Amino acid sequence: MTASRALPAHSLSRRQLLKLGAVGAIAVATGAVFDELATNAPDARPVSAPEPSPPQRRAFATRPDLKPPVVSVARRSGAANSPAGLVLLTPSNGLAPDGPLIVRPDGEPVWMHSVPGRQTTNLQVATYRGEPVLTWWEGVITSGYGFGEQVIVDSSYREVARVRAGNGLQVDLHEFLISPRDTALLLASRILAPGTAGAAPIQEAVVQEVDIPTGAVLFEWHSLPEIDPSESYIDMPTDGSTWDYLHANSIDLDGEGLLVSCRHTWAVYRIDRATGAVTWRLNGKRSDVVLPQNARFAWQHDARRQPDGTISIFDDGANGVAAPFESRSRGIVLAVDEATMRGRLVRSFAHPANVQATSQGSLQVLPGGAAFVGWGSVPRFSAFDARGS
């Protein structure tokens, strides 16, 4: 995360909350597993999806309406204690009404807010008007995109605001930031008619900055024509269905610019906020940064500029079909020299069971180089030390 970003989840002394998932819904089908396993398992079979058994649920006599999924914790024998703090999850709607969920490192629930009839994603800590707040998205998810609004609550869980997109759009599930000047940065999308940029209807990514109290749009960026559909690794459909050529899934402040991660082009784009122009591309078909093979990524999420200038990314490595250069998901930290436009891999965090997330996922870099990884479509969450164990 950038120094200017008002979401310092890696240094929250007041709440010590670990942010999980600036990237979408966490699908908990059998109960999440919070891993602290560091054993080597080179022959382990890749884990690519939750087992198709009914979810295990907690039940409370005093609150029968709350039925959070069971969160199991597995620790490596002799491993150090978990990072101090709480774990924030947003289980997807299943057999019972779900909603934002906070658990202790041992998996015991601390707080849950049930949202019947709507899906929730992206529970995280932010600062608004100088005070700590929680934010989450709620709405309806269709084909990997969300159509809804963002909720902000204070430290007593009282609703402070609901943030909606402007200009007739709806807030997407993937990203929501509160800036240092207390404005909201969010993602949305719109469908353009055939002929605008191809023979099929095309889904264009939109970034908005919105004034939280009034809803006024202060800034708006559109992916077309800046990012051409030819950069996509998703073929244009021939059946008349919408072409989601880009699939933007994270925004981060980067000085006077923005870093925007786009899953379907395997690229992170730096956007000049003054002009809307792409100043450079990291990875993808038209990368401006030369990367060694071990630093390349595919179908990624959660690109963040770190205080030391590195860029952290959750590299899914697959979208149902693996990329040609990586067969398992991992969290990665890259160093990019913007003078020479060359990059290198600084750290990598991969699960010993070769977990393969085919969607979603998050990487939170913690103080000292440790990390907390959410494995997206696989309901596991892992704490790593700075060595990657």
Side-chain angles (χ1 to χ4, degrees):
M1 299 175 185
T2 61
S4 63
R5 183 176 176 183
L7 243 168
H10 53 277
S11 59
L12 282 173
S13 58
R14 296 183 66 178
R15 289 289 180 268
Q16 290 188 310
L17 293 173
L18 300 181
K19 177 185 73 91
L20 175 65
V23 293
I26 303 300
V28 178
T30 60
V33 178
F34 175 22
D35 290 308
E36 291 179 63
L37 303 175
T39 55
N40 293 320
D43 298 324
R45 296 176 61 187
V47 177
S48 60
E51 296 82 358
S53 56
Q56 297 175 320
R57 299 276 180 177
R58 302 292 298 270
F60 305 100
T62 55
R63 289 295 304 271
D65 58 316
L66 299 182
K67 298 179 181 178
V70 172
V71 177
S72 303
V73 179
R75 285 186 174 85
R76 172 193 175 199
S77 178
N81 292 331
S82 310
L86 302 173
V87 180
L88 278 63
L89 308 173
T90 45
S92 65
N93 286 61
L95 298 182
D98 281 322
L101 173 65
I102 300 176
V103 300
R104 300 187 321 213
D106 64 1
E108 283 297 305
V110 172
W111 174 80
M112 181 182 182
H113 177 67
S114 180
V115 186
R118 306 191 90 188
Q119 288 178 285
T120 57
T121 71
N122 205 13
L123 177 63
Q124 56 188 336
V125 179
T127 300
Y128 181 53
R129 294 178 171 173
E131 296 294 329
V133 294
L134 292 174
T135 70
W136 68 83
W137 176 91
E138 60 181 54
V140 176
I141 300 174
T142 303
S143 300
Y145 272 92
F147 301 90
E149 57 194 2
Q150 285 284 340
V151 182
I152 304 175
V153 300
D154 64 18
S155 57
S156 297
Y157 307 109
R158 295 173 298 198
E159 187 171 309
V160 173
R162 285 183 176 258
V163 182
R164 298 173 177 87
N167 299 331
L169 302 178
Q170 294 194 59
V171 182
D172 178 45
L173 62 89
H174 286 92
E175 183 65 280
F176 180 76
L177 300 180
I178 298 178
S179 77
R181 52 183 195 171
D182 287 334
T183 60
L185 283 163
L186 54 88
L187 281 169
S189 65
R190 65 173 186 164
I191 309 300
L192 302 180
T196 306
I202 194 165
Q203 188 155 341
E204 178 187 54
V206 180
V207 176
Q208 288 187 350
E209 182 177 13
V210 174
D211 181 66
I212 293 175
T214 67
V217 178
L218 307 175
F219 166 83
E220 185 169 290
W221 176 85
H222 292 250
S223 62
L224 290 170
E226 285 300 317
I227 303 176
D228 193 83
S230 63
E231 295 185 41
S232 184
Y233 286 91
I234 297 290
D235 293 333
M236 183 176 66
T238 59
D239 60 359
S241 59
T242 299
W243 185 18
D244 181 10
Y245 87 103
L246 194 67
H247 202 91
N249 57 31
S250 75
I251 312 167
D252 203 18
L253 292 166
D254 188 34
E256 296 303 313
L258 300 173
L259 293 182
V260 179
S261 167
C262 297
R263 171 181 172 87
H264 289 174
T265 57
W266 301 4
V268 175
Y269 300 86
R270 189 184 189 278
I271 310 298
D272 186 309
R273 296 183 72 187
T275 66
V278 174
T279 55
W280 50 255
R281 293 162 168 80
L282 176 64
N283 204 51
K285 294 180 181 180
R286 295 179 54 191
S287 182
D288 298 297
V289 181
V290 178
L291 293 173
Q293 193 79 349
N294 68 349
R296 295 180 64 193
F297 51 87
W299 314 109
Q300 81 290 338
H301 290 78
D302 203 21
R304 308 288 167 194
R305 179 75 81 168
Q306 298 297 322
D308 64 0
T310 58
I311 297 174
S312 63
I313 297 169
F314 181 81
D315 175 16
D316 292 65
N319 184 34
V321 178
F325 44 80
E326 183 60 46
S327 60
R328 61 178 178 174
S329 300
R330 57 185 183 150
I332 57 175
V333 178
L334 304 180
V336 176
D337 185 333
E338 294 183 45
T340 64
M341 297 308 286
R342 303 189 74 87
R344 62 183 176 87
L345 180 68
V346 178
R347 289 193 300 280
S348 178
F349 303 95
H351 198 286
N354 297 330
V355 167
Q356 184 69 75
T358 56
S359 68
Q360 307 159 83
S362 60
L363 167 62
Q364 182 187 1
V365 177
L366 300 173
F372 192 63
V373 178
W375 299 102
S377 57
V378 180
R380 294 181 179 225
F381 322 98
S382 303
F384 290 86
D385 64 23
R387 299 169 301 170
S389 295

